[in-house]
Amino acid sequence: MSTNANEPILKVTGLHKSFGHLHVLRGIDFQVRPGELVFVIGPSGSGKSTLLRCCNRLEEPSAGSIQVEGVDIMARGVDINLVRRRIGMVFQSFNLYPHLNALGNVSLALRKVEKKVRAEAEEAALKALTRVGLADKARAYPAELSGGQQQRVAIARALALEPAIMLFDEPTSALDPELVGSVLNVMREMRKSGMTMVVVSHEMRFARGAADRVIFMDEGLILEEGSPEKIFNDPQHPRIKEFLSSLEAH
């Protein structure tokens, strides 16, 4: 795995994805450098979630190449499970096991994937729960937690594996508005600690304040990318102006 600070952690080149006749990604090129927080915005159906899911091969790309820390994850014979340990993924739905408490949910992958003994796994899990502000909820079950707390447990589960990059797919869209802030605060803290992140979200205020770079997608293409100031205040593409003014109308 390459550790050169100038090398991108994620490099996507010429990425295409079709579902039958539907051409969802139509030649995507982008890179994410270590410590960057890249925000992907655009209308529903523009291919944002599919792009994220291709980055760890939850969806198989139709064409193109994806490199994670210099490893071509499309190459024949690549150990995709090994690569996936380096890519944390947080979904819209929390996907927690209801019969396991928070500590159990976070430590499970450490025991199953990393083959840690229970005590060691639980120690690492508690550390991850502490990072998301939930050490005091370690023994609580998902049904006893708010949506925001459940999502933070899901983030802790991904963090516990010490990934090189975290992918967030609409992490707050299933939450009540008053619970969104707690999840965004955790993501802010992660950014401060140097975590590399790609976030698909409609939280535009968060994008303005926290992103290093914003990518605008529409109909399977990247139409423009740049700093939050540039994309939000001075976009070159009329489609972006239209999209942003439609958001302001709501």
PDB file of all heavy atoms in Angstrom, residues 128-157:
ATOM      1  N   ALA A 128     -13.342   3.567  19.586  1.00  0.00           N
ATOM      2  CA  ALA A 128     -14.086   4.120  18.450  1.00  0.00           C
ATOM      3  C   ALA A 128     -15.391   4.777  18.923  1.00  0.00           C
ATOM      4  O   ALA A 128     -15.765   5.852  18.442  1.00  0.00           O
ATOM      5  CB  ALA A 128     -14.383   3.023  17.427  1.00  0.00           C
ATOM      6  N   LEU A 129     -16.065   4.143  19.893  1.00  0.00           N
ATOM      7  CA  LEU A 129     -17.293   4.740  20.432  1.00  0.00           C
ATOM      8  C   LEU A 129     -16.983   6.054  21.157  1.00  0.00           C
ATOM      9  O   LEU A 129     -17.773   7.004  21.097  1.00  0.00           O
ATOM     10  CB  LEU A 129     -17.992   3.763  21.383  1.00  0.00           C
ATOM     11  CG  LEU A 129     -18.746   2.612  20.707  1.00  0.00           C
ATOM     12  CD1 LEU A 129     -19.150   1.557  21.726  1.00  0.00           C
ATOM     13  CD2 LEU A 129     -19.974   3.121  19.955  1.00  0.00           C
ATOM     14  N   THR A 130     -15.842   6.110  21.810  1.00  0.00           N
ATOM     15  CA  THR A 130     -15.422   7.347  22.483  1.00  0.00           C
ATOM     16  C   THR A 130     -15.228   8.467  21.455  1.00  0.00           C
ATOM     17  O   THR A 130     -15.623   9.605  21.681  1.00  0.00           O
ATOM     18  CB  THR A 130     -14.116   7.115  23.282  1.00  0.00           C
ATOM     19  OG1 THR A 130     -14.342   6.053  24.204  1.00  0.00           O
ATOM     20  CG2 THR A 130     -13.696   8.365  24.039  1.00  0.00           C
ATOM     21  N   ARG A 131     -14.648   8.110  20.304  1.00  0.00           N
ATOM     22  CA  ARG A 131     -14.407   9.107  19.251  1.00  0.00           C
ATOM     23  C   ARG A 131     -15.706   9.726  18.749  1.00  0.00           C
ATOM     24  O   ARG A 131     -15.733  10.877  18.325  1.00  0.00           O
ATOM     25  CB  ARG A 131     -13.685   8.466  18.043  1.00  0.00           C
ATOM     26  CG  ARG A 131     -12.185   8.458  18.181  1.00  0.00           C
ATOM     27  CD  ARG A 131     -11.528   7.986  16.910  1.00  0.00           C
ATOM     28  NE  ARG A 131     -11.428   9.022  15.888  1.00  0.00           N
ATOM     29  CZ  ARG A 131     -10.826   8.834  14.719  1.00  0.00           C
ATOM     30  NH1 ARG A 131     -10.301   7.668  14.421  1.00  0.00           N
ATOM     31  NH2 ARG A 131     -10.768   9.819  13.823  1.00  0.00           N
ATOM     32  N   VAL A 132     -16.795   8.949  18.777  1.00  0.00           N
ATOM     33  CA  VAL A 132     -18.074   9.492  18.284  1.00  0.00           C
ATOM     34  C   VAL A 132     -18.966   9.949  19.437  1.00  0.00           C
ATOM     35  O   VAL A 132     -20.152  10.213  19.258  1.00  0.00           O
ATOM     36  CB  VAL A 132     -18.827   8.466  17.386  1.00  0.00           C
ATOM     37  CG1 VAL A 132     -17.980   8.091  16.178  1.00  0.00           C
ATOM     38  CG2 VAL A 132     -19.241   7.226  18.168  1.00  0.00           C
ATOM     39  N   GLY A 133     -18.373  10.034  20.638  1.00  0.00           N
ATOM     40  CA  GLY A 133     -19.099  10.584  21.788  1.00  0.00           C
ATOM     41  C   GLY A 133     -20.136   9.657  22.387  1.00  0.00           C
ATOM     42  O   GLY A 133     -21.117  10.107  22.974  1.00  0.00           O
ATOM     43  N   LEU A 134     -19.927   8.336  22.252  1.00  0.00           N
ATOM     44  CA  LEU A 134     -20.936   7.389  22.740  1.00  0.00           C
ATOM     45  C   LEU A 134     -20.382   6.323  23.677  1.00  0.00           C
ATOM     46  O   LEU A 134     -20.980   5.254  23.810  1.00  0.00           O
ATOM     47  CB  LEU A 134     -21.635   6.693  21.550  1.00  0.00           C
ATOM     48  CG  LEU A 134     -22.614   7.546  20.755  1.00  0.00           C
ATOM     49  CD1 LEU A 134     -23.160   6.747  19.579  1.00  0.00           C
ATOM     50  CD2 LEU A 134     -23.768   8.030  21.629  1.00  0.00           C
ATOM     51  N   ALA A 135     -19.271   6.618  24.354  1.00  0.00           N
ATOM     52  CA  ALA A 135     -18.707   5.630  25.284  1.00  0.00           C
ATOM     53  C   ALA A 135     -19.741   5.229  26.342  1.00  0.00           C
ATOM     54  O   ALA A 135     -19.814   4.063  26.754  1.00  0.00           O
ATOM     55  CB  ALA A 135     -17.450   6.191  25.947  1.00  0.00           C
ATOM     56  N   ASP A 136     -20.573   6.193  26.738  1.00  0.00           N
ATOM     57  CA  ASP A 136     -21.558   5.917  27.797  1.00  0.00           C
ATOM     58  C   ASP A 136     -22.727   5.057  27.299  1.00  0.00           C
ATOM     59  O   ASP A 136     -23.559   4.604  28.089  1.00  0.00           O
ATOM     60  CB  ASP A 136     -22.101   7.229  28.383  1.00  0.00           C
ATOM     61  CG  ASP A 136     -22.767   8.104  27.324  1.00  0.00           C
ATOM     62  OD1 ASP A 136     -22.308   8.080  26.150  1.00  0.00           O
ATOM     63  OD2 ASP A 136     -23.745   8.793  27.648  1.00  0.00           O
ATOM     64  N   LYS A 137     -22.806   4.842  25.976  1.00  0.00           N
ATOM     65  CA  LYS A 137     -23.902   4.032  25.410  1.00  0.00           C
ATOM     66  C   LYS A 137     -23.406   2.665  24.939  1.00  0.00           C
ATOM     67  O   LYS A 137     -24.103   1.965  24.187  1.00  0.00           O
ATOM     68  CB  LYS A 137     -24.542   4.761  24.217  1.00  0.00           C
ATOM     69  CG  LYS A 137     -25.182   6.088  24.578  1.00  0.00           C
ATOM     70  CD  LYS A 137     -26.465   5.894  25.357  1.00  0.00           C
ATOM     71  CE  LYS A 137     -27.181   7.222  25.584  1.00  0.00           C
ATOM     72  NZ  LYS A 137     -28.297   7.083  26.526  1.00  0.00           N
ATOM     73  N   ALA A 138     -22.210   2.278  25.370  1.00  0.00           N
ATOM     74  CA  ALA A 138     -21.610   1.026  24.875  1.00  0.00           C
ATOM     75  C   ALA A 138     -22.513  -0.181  25.092  1.00  0.00           C
ATOM     76  O   ALA A 138     -22.553  -1.101  24.275  1.00  0.00           O
ATOM     77  CB  ALA A 138     -20.252   0.799  25.544  1.00  0.00           C
ATOM     78  N   ARG A 139     -23.250  -0.192  26.217  1.00  0.00           N
ATOM     79  CA  ARG A 139     -24.080  -1.366  26.547  1.00  0.00           C
ATOM     80  C   ARG A 139     -25.519  -1.220  26.058  1.00  0.00           C
ATOM     81  O   ARG A 139     -26.348  -2.105  26.280  1.00  0.00           O
ATOM     82  CB  ARG A 139     -24.090  -1.592  28.071  1.00  0.00           C
ATOM     83  CG  ARG A 139     -22.699  -1.793  28.667  1.00  0.00           C
ATOM     84  CD  ARG A 139     -22.110  -3.120  28.291  1.00  0.00           C
ATOM     85  NE  ARG A 139     -20.702  -3.223  28.660  1.00  0.00           N
ATOM     86  CZ  ARG A 139     -19.879  -4.175  28.213  1.00  0.00           C
ATOM     87  NH1 ARG A 139     -20.304  -5.080  27.365  1.00  0.00           N
ATOM     88  NH2 ARG A 139     -18.619  -4.200  28.593  1.00  0.00           N
ATOM     89  N   ALA A 140     -25.832  -0.107  25.402  1.00  0.00           N
ATOM     90  CA  ALA A 140     -27.205   0.110  24.923  1.00  0.00           C
ATOM     91  C   ALA A 140     -27.419  -0.620  23.599  1.00  0.00           C
ATOM     92  O   ALA A 140     -26.502  -0.747  22.777  1.00  0.00           O
ATOM     93  CB  ALA A 140     -27.461   1.604  24.747  1.00  0.00           C
ATOM     94  N   TYR A 141     -28.649  -1.111  23.417  1.00  0.00           N
ATOM     95  CA  TYR A 141     -29.014  -1.787  22.167  1.00  0.00           C
ATOM     96  C   TYR A 141     -29.579  -0.763  21.180  1.00  0.00           C
ATOM     97  O   TYR A 141     -30.080   0.292  21.591  1.00  0.00           O
ATOM     98  CB  TYR A 141     -30.038  -2.899  22.457  1.00  0.00           C
ATOM     99  CG  TYR A 141     -29.393  -4.070  23.143  1.00  0.00           C
ATOM    100  CD1 TYR A 141     -29.213  -4.078  24.524  1.00  0.00           C
ATOM    101  CD2 TYR A 141     -28.896  -5.144  22.399  1.00  0.00           C
ATOM    102  CE1 TYR A 141     -28.574  -5.135  25.161  1.00  0.00           C
ATOM    103  CE2 TYR A 141     -28.258  -6.205  23.026  1.00  0.00           C
ATOM    104  CZ  TYR A 141     -28.096  -6.202  24.406  1.00  0.00           C
ATOM    105  OH  TYR A 141     -27.452  -7.236  25.016  1.00  0.00           O
ATOM    106  N   PRO A 142     -29.511  -1.063  19.861  1.00  0.00           N
ATOM    107  CA  PRO A 142     -29.987  -0.106  18.865  1.00  0.00           C
ATOM    108  C   PRO A 142     -31.380   0.457  19.164  1.00  0.00           C
ATOM    109  O   PRO A 142     -31.612   1.662  18.991  1.00  0.00           O
ATOM    110  CB  PRO A 142     -29.969  -0.929  17.569  1.00  0.00           C
ATOM    111  CG  PRO A 142     -28.819  -1.866  17.768  1.00  0.00           C
ATOM    112  CD  PRO A 142     -28.862  -2.228  19.222  1.00  0.00           C
ATOM    113  N   ALA A 143     -32.285  -0.382  19.634  1.00  0.00           N
ATOM    114  CA  ALA A 143     -33.659   0.081  19.898  1.00  0.00           C
ATOM    115  C   ALA A 143     -33.713   1.126  21.012  1.00  0.00           C
ATOM    116  O   ALA A 143     -34.687   1.869  21.127  1.00  0.00           O
ATOM    117  CB  ALA A 143     -34.555  -1.104  20.258  1.00  0.00           C
ATOM    118  N   GLU A 144     -32.655   1.183  21.830  1.00  0.00           N
ATOM    119  CA  GLU A 144     -32.608   2.156  22.936  1.00  0.00           C
ATOM    120  C   GLU A 144     -31.910   3.454  22.535  1.00  0.00           C
ATOM    121  O   GLU A 144     -31.758   4.358  23.344  1.00  0.00           O
ATOM    122  CB  GLU A 144     -31.868   1.537  24.130  1.00  0.00           C
ATOM    123  CG  GLU A 144     -32.509   0.254  24.628  1.00  0.00           C
ATOM    124  CD  GLU A 144     -31.630  -0.515  25.612  1.00  0.00           C
ATOM    125  OE1 GLU A 144     -30.407  -0.611  25.408  1.00  0.00           O
ATOM    126  OE2 GLU A 144     -32.191  -1.027  26.592  1.00  0.00           O
ATOM    127  N   LEU A 145     -31.471   3.530  21.288  1.00  0.00           N
ATOM    128  CA  LEU A 145     -30.707   4.695  20.826  1.00  0.00           C
ATOM    129  C   LEU A 145     -31.520   5.506  19.828  1.00  0.00           C
ATOM    130  O   LEU A 145     -32.333   4.953  19.075  1.00  0.00           O
ATOM    131  CB  LEU A 145     -29.416   4.227  20.137  1.00  0.00           C
ATOM    132  CG  LEU A 145     -28.426   3.443  21.000  1.00  0.00           C
ATOM    133  CD1 LEU A 145     -27.302   2.869  20.137  1.00  0.00           C
ATOM    134  CD2 LEU A 145     -27.838   4.315  22.106  1.00  0.00           C
ATOM    135  N   SER A 146     -31.289   6.818  19.795  1.00  0.00           N
ATOM    136  CA  SER A 146     -31.919   7.661  18.769  1.00  0.00           C
ATOM    137  C   SER A 146     -31.283   7.331  17.415  1.00  0.00           C
ATOM    138  O   SER A 146     -30.222   6.712  17.330  1.00  0.00           O
ATOM    139  CB  SER A 146     -31.687   9.142  19.082  1.00  0.00           C
ATOM    140  OG  SER A 146     -30.323   9.470  18.843  1.00  0.00           O
ATOM    141  N   GLY A 147     -31.936   7.812  16.346  1.00  0.00           N
ATOM    142  CA  GLY A 147     -31.368   7.608  15.012  1.00  0.00           C
ATOM    143  C   GLY A 147     -29.969   8.182  14.889  1.00  0.00           C
ATOM    144  O   GLY A 147     -29.073   7.581  14.307  1.00  0.00           O
ATOM    145  N   GLY A 148     -29.778   9.376  15.469  1.00  0.00           N
ATOM    146  CA  GLY A 148     -28.451  10.005  15.400  1.00  0.00           C
ATOM    147  C   GLY A 148     -27.397   9.180  16.123  1.00  0.00           C
ATOM    148  O   GLY A 148     -26.263   9.033  15.660  1.00  0.00           O
ATOM    149  N   GLN A 149     -27.783   8.609  17.275  1.00  0.00           N
ATOM    150  CA  GLN A 149     -26.851   7.761  18.024  1.00  0.00           C
ATOM    151  C   GLN A 149     -26.551   6.478  17.246  1.00  0.00           C
ATOM    152  O   GLN A 149     -25.406   6.024  17.191  1.00  0.00           O
ATOM    153  CB  GLN A 149     -27.419   7.447  19.404  1.00  0.00           C
ATOM    154  CG  GLN A 149     -27.420   8.666  20.334  1.00  0.00           C
ATOM    155  CD  GLN A 149     -28.233   8.430  21.604  1.00  0.00           C
ATOM    156  OE1 GLN A 149     -29.169   7.625  21.623  1.00  0.00           O
ATOM    157  NE2 GLN A 149     -27.878   9.127  22.666  1.00  0.00           N
ATOM    158  N   GLN A 150     -27.584   5.903  16.635  1.00  0.00           N
ATOM    159  CA  GLN A 150     -27.362   4.692  15.841  1.00  0.00           C
ATOM    160  C   GLN A 150     -26.403   4.961  14.684  1.00  0.00           C
ATOM    161  O   GLN A 150     -25.518   4.146  14.397  1.00  0.00           O
ATOM    162  CB  GLN A 150     -28.694   4.157  15.291  1.00  0.00           C
ATOM    163  CG  GLN A 150     -29.597   3.567  16.361  1.00  0.00           C
ATOM    164  CD  GLN A 150     -30.841   2.949  15.755  1.00  0.00           C
ATOM    165  OE1 GLN A 150     -30.758   2.049  14.923  1.00  0.00           O
ATOM    166  NE2 GLN A 150     -32.006   3.452  16.150  1.00  0.00           N
ATOM    167  N   GLN A 151     -26.568   6.129  14.046  1.00  0.00           N
ATOM    168  CA  GLN A 151     -25.670   6.446  12.938  1.00  0.00           C
ATOM    169  C   GLN A 151     -24.249   6.648  13.439  1.00  0.00           C
ATOM    170  O   GLN A 151     -23.285   6.264  12.777  1.00  0.00           O
ATOM    171  CB  GLN A 151     -26.172   7.692  12.181  1.00  0.00           C
ATOM    172  CG  GLN A 151     -25.421   8.005  10.892  1.00  0.00           C
ATOM    173  CD  GLN A 151     -25.498   6.898   9.854  1.00  0.00           C
ATOM    174  OE1 GLN A 151     -24.945   5.794  10.067  1.00  0.00           O
ATOM    175  NE2 GLN A 151     -26.160   7.158   8.740  1.00  0.00           N
ATOM    176  N   ARG A 152     -24.103   7.213  14.634  1.00  0.00           N
ATOM    177  CA  ARG A 152     -22.756   7.387  15.193  1.00  0.00           C
ATOM    178  C   ARG A 152     -22.131   6.037  15.561  1.00  0.00           C
ATOM    179  O   ARG A 152     -20.917   5.854  15.417  1.00  0.00           O
ATOM    180  CB  ARG A 152     -22.799   8.335  16.392  1.00  0.00           C
ATOM    181  CG  ARG A 152     -22.898   9.804  15.942  1.00  0.00           C
ATOM    182  CD  ARG A 152     -23.661  10.683  16.913  1.00  0.00           C
ATOM    183  NE  ARG A 152     -23.003  10.790  18.202  1.00  0.00           N
ATOM    184  CZ  ARG A 152     -23.597  11.220  19.315  1.00  0.00           C
ATOM    185  NH1 ARG A 152     -24.874  11.590  19.285  1.00  0.00           N
ATOM    186  NH2 ARG A 152     -22.941  11.289  20.441  1.00  0.00           N
ATOM    187  N   VAL A 153     -22.953   5.077  15.989  1.00  0.00           N
ATOM    188  CA  VAL A 153     -22.432   3.713  16.218  1.00  0.00           C
ATOM    189  C   VAL A 153     -21.943   3.127  14.890  1.00  0.00           C
ATOM    190  O   VAL A 153     -20.877   2.499  14.817  1.00  0.00           O
ATOM    191  CB  VAL A 153     -23.504   2.799  16.853  1.00  0.00           C
ATOM    192  CG1 VAL A 153     -23.018   1.349  16.894  1.00  0.00           C
ATOM    193  CG2 VAL A 153     -23.848   3.276  18.267  1.00  0.00           C
ATOM    194  N   ALA A 154     -22.714   3.365  13.818  1.00  0.00           N
ATOM    195  CA  ALA A 154     -22.313   2.873  12.496  1.00  0.00           C
ATOM    196  C   ALA A 154     -20.987   3.507  12.052  1.00  0.00           C
ATOM    197  O   ALA A 154     -20.133   2.847  11.461  1.00  0.00           O
ATOM    198  CB  ALA A 154     -23.409   3.152  11.470  1.00  0.00           C
ATOM    199  N   ILE A 155     -20.812   4.789  12.364  1.00  0.00           N
ATOM    200  CA  ILE A 155     -19.542   5.464  12.039  1.00  0.00           C
ATOM    201  C   ILE A 155     -18.402   4.845  12.870  1.00  0.00           C
ATOM    202  O   ILE A 155     -17.316   4.565  12.356  1.00  0.00           O
ATOM    203  CB  ILE A 155     -19.640   6.984  12.288  1.00  0.00           C
ATOM    204  CG1 ILE A 155     -20.620   7.619  11.289  1.00  0.00           C
ATOM    205  CG2 ILE A 155     -18.262   7.648  12.168  1.00  0.00           C
ATOM    206  CD1 ILE A 155     -20.932   9.095  11.557  1.00  0.00           C
ATOM    207  N   ALA A 156     -18.680   4.609  14.162  1.00  0.00           N
ATOM    208  CA  ALA A 156     -17.664   3.989  15.035  1.00  0.00           C
ATOM    209  C   ALA A 156     -17.266   2.615  14.507  1.00  0.00           C
ATOM    210  O   ALA A 156     -16.090   2.246  14.535  1.00  0.00           O
ATOM    211  CB  ALA A 156     -18.203   3.871  16.460  1.00  0.00           C
ATOM    212  N   ARG A 157     -18.243   1.863  14.017  1.00  0.00           N
ATOM    213  CA  ARG A 157     -17.961   0.523  13.475  1.00  0.00           C
ATOM    214  C   ARG A 157     -16.981   0.616  12.307  1.00  0.00           C
ATOM    215  O   ARG A 157     -16.049  -0.178  12.197  1.00  0.00           O
ATOM    216  CB  ARG A 157     -19.286  -0.104  13.021  1.00  0.00           C
ATOM    217  CG  ARG A 157     -19.143  -1.462  12.386  1.00  0.00           C
ATOM    218  CD  ARG A 157     -20.500  -2.052  12.029  1.00  0.00           C
ATOM    219  NE  ARG A 157     -21.283  -1.161  11.187  1.00  0.00           N
ATOM    220  CZ  ARG A 157     -22.563  -1.354  10.887  1.00  0.00           C
ATOM    221  NH1 ARG A 157     -23.209  -2.387  11.394  1.00  0.00           N
ATOM    222  NH2 ARG A 157     -23.202  -0.515  10.105  1.00  0.00           N
TER     223      ARG A 157
END
